[in-house]
Amino acid sequence: MHGYKPEELMGSHLSVFHSPEQMPAANAANPHLREKGDFAGEVWHARRDGRPFLTVMRNTLLRDQSEQPIGMIACCRDITGHIKAEEARRESERRLGTLMGNLPGMAYRCRNDPAWTMEFVSEGCLELTGYQAEELIGNARVSYAEVIHPLDRQAVWDMVQEEVERREPFQLIYRIRTKGGRRRWVWEQGRGVYGEDGTLLALEGF
């Protein structure tokens, strides 16, 4: 992790793990350790070549029979990979959000229930339906089934169930009624999302 062999570290001060700039923050954990008996948190370390990296540390104070502190046991884990993965995830979500926000329509993820309970809808739902995303997600104000024209609801349900049963994508054309009461014809394409055991988890589409 740090670039040293064990025999190179025996007898060394633990500052060998830190750059001079990191030492004040590392030393700040010592009073907490002495007072509470343990410390847990993120601490910056430095590799042998000077490259910094972030760790998660858990330190436990060791005491002798008279309860005097004589040392500590420390465990640290390099979380560089975790941080990079988290940054990549956030960047992916940002790009996806930008893409979804620019789509001329509504992308969605919903449950396969009679209400078509929405778990996610893109910002395009406002222009399409007149409802904000937060009004549709979780049926907070209205379910998507209620947005579908009453005369088309059963047909939409039947067609989706038929394709889900076959594990095929579905394409539909049907009417909706917007928040302002306007009738619109919409085209929809989607498919089921399945778990490793074959369980239907959700529907995703546009």
Side-chain angles (χ1 to χ4, degrees):
M1 191 187 314
H2 292 85
Y4 299 95
K5 296 179 180 179
E7 57 268 23
E8 294 180 278
L9 295 172
M10 299 299 292
S12 299
H13 190 272
L14 59 77
S15 60
V16 71
F17 291 140
H18 303 281
S19 68
E21 295 78 16
Q22 294 170 349
M23 282 307 299
N27 286 332
N30 290 336
H32 185 280
L33 181 65
R34 286 180 176 273
E35 179 183 354
K36 302 295 184 180
D38 60 24
F39 167 81
E42 295 182 353
V43 180
W44 282 96
H45 282 226
R47 306 188 198 281
R48 186 170 194 161
D49 60 9
R51 289 179 297 151
F53 65 101
L54 191 60
T55 71
V56 169
M57 294 203 67
R58 181 63 186 257
N59 302 345
T60 302
L61 191 66
L62 292 178
R63 301 179 185 272
D64 60 18
Q65 291 182 342
S66 60
E67 292 298 311
Q68 295 301 309
I70 59 173
M72 71 174 179
I73 295 177
C75 179
C76 67
R77 179 167 58 93
D78 183 354
I79 59 173
T80 303
H82 172 76
I83 292 175
K84 289 182 177 179
E86 180 65 16
E87 289 175 347
R89 182 189 66 81
R90 290 177 180 173
E91 175 62 15
S92 177
E93 288 184 349
R94 185 195 65 78
R95 291 180 179 179
L96 181 60
T98 300
L99 174 63
M100 293 295 184
N102 290 326
L103 286 175
M106 181 183 81
Y108 69 87
R109 178 184 174 98
C110 73
R111 300 173 197 163
N112 187 41
D113 60 21
W116 305 118
T117 302
M118 292 293 169
E119 298 177 354
F120 164 82
V121 290
S122 67
E123 295 178 4
C125 69
L126 179 61
E127 183 177 353
L128 182 69
T129 69
Y131 292 98
Q132 299 279 355
E134 55 267 25
E135 294 182 285
L136 287 170
I137 293 175
N139 307 325
R141 176 166 180 173
V142 63
S143 70
Y144 189 70
E146 294 175 281
V147 176
I148 298 174
H149 194 285
L151 296 179
D152 292 348
R153 288 174 191 168
Q154 188 61 47
V156 168
W157 173 261
D158 292 342
M159 286 187 286
V160 172
Q161 299 315 302
E162 181 180 344
E163 298 305 325
V164 165
E165 183 69 24
R166 298 167 52 198
R167 295 201 173 197
E168 294 290 338
F170 52 83
Q171 285 191 5
L172 313 167
I173 295 177
Y174 57 91
R175 293 165 291 181
I176 65 170
R177 291 198 299 198
T178 70
K179 187 176 183 179
R182 294 180 58 193
R183 186 181 70 177
R184 281 182 169 168
W185 286 93
V186 299
W187 171 90
E188 177 181 345
Q189 177 169 300
R191 67 183 310 148
V193 179
Y194 301 88
E196 293 183 359
D197 61 355
T199 302
L200 178 65
L201 303 178
L203 304 175
E204 292 181 345
F206 176 77

